[in-house]
Amino acid sequence: MRILVVEDEIHLAEALVQLLKKQNYTVDSVYDGEDGLDYAMSNIYDVVVLDLMLPKMDGLSIIKNMRETGNDTPVIMLTAKGEVMDKVKGLDSGADDYLAKPFNTDELLARIRALGRRKGEVTTPTGLTFGDIELDTSALTLSCASKEINLTLKESELLEYLITNKSTVLSKDMIIEKLWGFDSEAEANHVEVYISFLRKKLKYLGSKTSIVTVRGVGYSLKEE
């Protein structure tokens, strides 16, 4: 799971990042609302841990912007305010859960796991299909008719991203952010290499599904 922490109390943000990394999560953190919205709108996160009171843009505005544009990434709102009305405002704005500071870290982890499972059940099934191919993200296999081939983890992640966004042309930057993260040193040629690997495996399977290049834009799946 990839988690975004949006918290302006730097010491708390750093503590949360360390806590989550110890649980083997991939974590990014930002310290103001404008950056928080930019990162959240990338759609690469499984859960957003969001403070209510932030400089430049508050947490409620971030959630409203996310939901109005169709971004359904689960959000846990953190706040020093524990009153019922503040909780209601947060949930009505589109937050999925709510924790008042100070909070128990075990409870936070439990709620993150619950939201991660909820999103996974909806958007990341083990078996994904497109055209004549089936991707098993658990077994890391790709099959077409009676033929099957093994994939590397990155190949599987890339194909999963293409399938789950089949109506969207994915740019190289979008793919890098999703598969390697914002701070990665991965470059455009990394994407080109894995696209090439997948094309060869689709050809081996004799699939009528192809990865097309939209010049100057990115990649998408096509069923011939």
Side-chain angles (χ1 to χ4, degrees):
M1 284 176 59
R2 181 179 294 275
I3 298 174
L4 173 65
V5 174
V6 187
E7 169 61 66
D8 65 322
E9 295 180 38
I10 295 178
H11 291 303
L12 175 57
E14 291 176 347
L16 288 174
V17 168
Q18 293 304 312
L19 171 71
L20 295 170
K21 285 185 175 179
K22 286 181 180 179
Q23 303 299 314
N24 296 318
Y25 296 129
T26 301
V27 190
D28 294 316
S29 63
V30 292
Y31 311 113
D32 67 64
E34 288 184 356
D35 285 345
L37 180 60
D38 286 343
Y39 274 59
M41 292 302 291
S42 68
N43 245 329
I44 68 171
Y45 296 101
D46 298 290
V47 175
V48 177
V49 179
L50 177 66
D51 189 26
L52 176 62
M53 302 301 294
L54 293 163
K56 298 185 179 180
M57 179 183 292
D58 62 69
L60 292 180
S61 297
I62 291 174
I63 296 175
K64 288 178 180 177
N65 273 275
M66 291 172 63
R67 301 309 186 226
E68 286 173 358
T69 56
N71 185 318
D72 62 353
T73 304
V75 175
I76 299 177
M77 179 166 285
L78 302 180
T79 177
K81 298 180 179 180
E83 291 80 5
V84 172
M85 286 310 299
D86 292 310
K87 180 176 181 179
V88 169
K89 286 179 182 178
L91 296 174
D92 283 348
S93 296
D96 298 89
D97 208 342
Y98 185 103
L99 275 178
K101 302 175 185 176
F103 51 85
N104 182 283
T105 55
D106 288 336
E107 182 179 4
L108 173 63
L109 292 173
R111 295 188 182 209
I112 287 173
R113 288 192 296 270
L115 289 179
R117 286 194 298 271
R118 184 189 306 174
K119 183 176 182 183
E121 289 167 3
V122 173
T123 62
T124 56
T126 297
L128 296 170
T129 60
F130 180 90
D132 59 357
I133 61 172
E134 181 174 352
L135 170 67
D136 188 325
T137 59
S138 178
L140 297 181
T141 58
L142 178 63
S143 58
C144 177
S146 59
K147 297 184 74 173
E148 182 178 282
I149 192 170
N150 292 325
L151 302 180
T152 65
L153 178 59
K154 272 289 182 285
E155 289 170 347
S156 177
E157 290 175 341
L158 175 54
L159 187 54
E160 178 183 1
Y161 193 31
L162 287 165
I163 292 174
T164 55
N165 293 274
K166 54 183 175 291
S167 60
T168 304
V169 178
L170 301 177
S171 70
K172 291 177 182 177
D173 285 342
M174 292 170 67
I175 293 171
I176 289 172
E177 290 173 1
K178 177 66 176 177
L179 270 63
W180 284 276
F182 281 103
D183 299 327
S184 169
E185 295 181 358
E187 298 178 352
N189 65 323
H190 287 72
V191 177
E192 294 167 2
V193 167
Y194 282 99
I195 290 290
S196 176
F197 288 160
L198 285 176
R199 282 173 171 161
K200 289 177 181 177
K201 293 188 175 181
L202 288 168
K203 183 177 180 180
Y204 166 82
L205 292 172
S207 173
K208 294 182 179 179
T209 297
S210 61
I211 302 172
V212 297
T213 300
V214 180
R215 189 170 299 277
V217 183
Y219 303 98
S220 66
L221 285 180
K222 179 182 178 182
E223 183 183 6
E224 298 177 0

